[in-house]
Coordinates of all heavy atoms in Angstrom, one line a residue:
V374 N -177.3 9.8 -23.7 CA -177.0 8.7 -22.7 C -177.8 8.9 -21.4 O -177.5 8.2 -20.5 CB -175.4 8.7 -22.4 CG1 -174.6 8.4 -23.6 CG2 -175.0 10.1 -21.8
D375 N -178.8 9.8 -21.5 CA -179.6 10.0 -20.3 C -181.1 9.7 -20.5 O -181.9 10.0 -19.7 CB -179.4 11.4 -19.8 CG -179.9 12.4 -20.8 OD1 -180.3 12.0 -21.9 OD2 -179.7 13.6 -20.6
G376 N -181.4 9.1 -21.7 CA -182.8 8.8 -22.0 C -183.5 9.8 -22.7 O -184.7 9.6 -23.2
W384 N -179.1 5.9 -26.1 CA -178.4 4.7 -25.7 C -178.7 4.2 -24.3 O -178.4 3.1 -24.0 CB -176.9 4.9 -25.8 CG -176.4 5.0 -27.3 CD1 -177.2 4.8 -28.4 CD2 -175.1 5.3 -27.7 NE1 -176.4 4.9 -29.5 CE2 -175.1 5.3 -29.1 CE3 -173.9 5.7 -27.0 CZ2 -174.0 5.5 -29.9 CZ3 -172.8 5.9 -27.8 CH2 -172.8 5.9 -29.2
K385 N -179.3 5.0 -23.5 CA -179.6 4.6 -22.1 C -180.7 3.5 -22.1 O -181.8 3.7 -22.6 CB -180.1 5.8 -21.3 CG -180.4 5.5 -19.8 CD -180.8 6.7 -19.0 CE -181.1 6.3 -17.6 NZ -179.9 5.8 -16.9
G386 N -180.4 2.4 -21.6 CA -181.3 1.2 -21.5 C -181.5 0.6 -22.8 O -182.5 -0.2 -23.0
L387 N -180.7 0.9 -23.8 CA -181.0 0.4 -25.2 C -180.7 -1.1 -25.3 O -181.5 -1.9 -25.9 CB -180.2 1.2 -26.2 CG -180.2 0.7 -27.6 CD1 -181.6 0.9 -28.2 CD2 -179.2 1.6 -28.5
Y388 N -179.6 -1.5 -24.8 CA -179.2 -2.9 -24.9 C -180.1 -3.8 -24.2 O -180.5 -3.7 -23.1 CB -177.7 -3.1 -24.4 CG -177.2 -4.5 -24.7 CD1 -176.7 -4.9 -25.9 CD2 -177.2 -5.5 -23.6 CE1 -176.3 -6.2 -26.2 CE2 -176.8 -6.8 -23.9 CZ -176.3 -7.1 -25.2 OH -175.8 -8.4 -25.4
G389 N -180.6 -4.8 -24.9 CA -181.5 -5.8 -24.4 C -183.0 -5.5 -24.5 O -183.8 -6.4 -24.2
K390 N -183.3 -4.3 -25.0 CA -184.7 -4.0 -25.2 C -185.2 -4.4 -26.6 O -184.4 -4.7 -27.5 CB -185.0 -2.5 -24.9 CG -184.4 -1.6 -25.9 CD -184.6 -0.1 -25.5 CE -186.1 0.3 -25.5 NZ -186.2 1.7 -25.4
V402 N -182.5 -5.8 -29.4 CA -181.3 -5.1 -29.5 C -180.2 -5.9 -28.8 O -180.1 -5.9 -27.5 CB -181.4 -3.7 -28.8 CG1 -180.0 -3.0 -28.9 CG2 -182.4 -2.8 -29.5
V440 N -169.9 -1.0 -28.4 CA -171.0 -1.9 -28.0 C -170.9 -2.1 -26.5 O -171.9 -2.1 -25.8 CB -171.0 -3.2 -28.8 CG1 -171.9 -4.2 -28.1 CG2 -171.3 -3.0 -30.2
D441 N -169.7 -2.4 -26.0 CA -169.5 -2.6 -24.5 C -170.0 -1.3 -23.7 O -170.5 -1.5 -22.6 CB -168.1 -2.9 -24.2 CG -167.8 -4.4 -24.5 OD1 -168.7 -5.1 -25.0 OD2 -166.7 -4.9 -24.1
Y442 N -169.7 -0.2 -24.3 CA -170.1 1.1 -23.6 C -171.6 1.2 -23.6 O -172.2 1.5 -22.5 CB -169.5 2.3 -24.3 CG -170.0 3.6 -23.8 CD1 -169.9 3.9 -22.5 CD2 -170.5 4.5 -24.7 CE1 -170.4 5.2 -22.0 CE2 -171.0 5.8 -24.2 CZ -170.9 6.1 -22.9 OH -171.4 7.3 -22.4
I443 N -172.3 0.9 -24.7 CA -173.7 1.0 -24.7 C -174.3 0.0 -23.7 O -175.3 0.3 -23.1 CB -174.2 0.7 -26.1 CG1 -173.8 1.8 -27.1 CG2 -175.8 0.6 -26.2 CD1 -174.1 1.5 -28.6
K444 N -173.7 -1.2 -23.5 CA -174.2 -2.1 -22.5 C -174.2 -1.6 -21.1 O -175.0 -2.0 -20.3 CB -173.3 -3.4 -22.6 CG -173.5 -4.3 -23.8 CD -172.6 -5.5 -23.7 CE -172.7 -6.4 -24.9 NZ -171.8 -7.6 -24.8
T445 N -173.2 -0.7 -20.8 CA -173.1 -0.1 -19.4 C -174.2 0.9 -19.1 O -174.4 1.3 -18.0 CB -171.7 0.5 -19.2 OG1 -171.6 1.7 -20.0 CG2 -170.6 -0.5 -19.5
L446 N -174.9 1.4 -20.2 CA -175.8 2.5 -20.0 C -177.2 2.0 -19.6 O -178.1 1.9 -20.4 CB -175.9 3.4 -21.3 CG -174.6 4.0 -21.7 CD1 -174.7 4.7 -23.0 CD2 -174.1 5.1 -20.6
R447 N -177.3 1.7 -18.3 CA -178.6 1.1 -17.8 C -179.5 2.2 -17.2 O -179.0 3.2 -16.8 CB -178.3 0.0 -16.8 CG -177.6 -1.2 -17.4 CD -178.4 -1.8 -18.4 NE -177.8 -3.0 -19.0 CZ -178.3 -3.8 -19.9 NH1 -179.4 -3.4 -20.5 NH2 -177.7 -4.8 -20.4

Side-chain angles (χ1 to χ4, degrees):
V374 296
D375 60 2
W384 286 353
K385 183 176 178 62
L387 176 62
Y388 185 78
K390 70 183 295 189
V402 180
V440 169
D441 278 5
Y442 172 54
I443 295 173
K444 289 181 180 180
T445 68
L446 298 172
R447 295 298 183 182

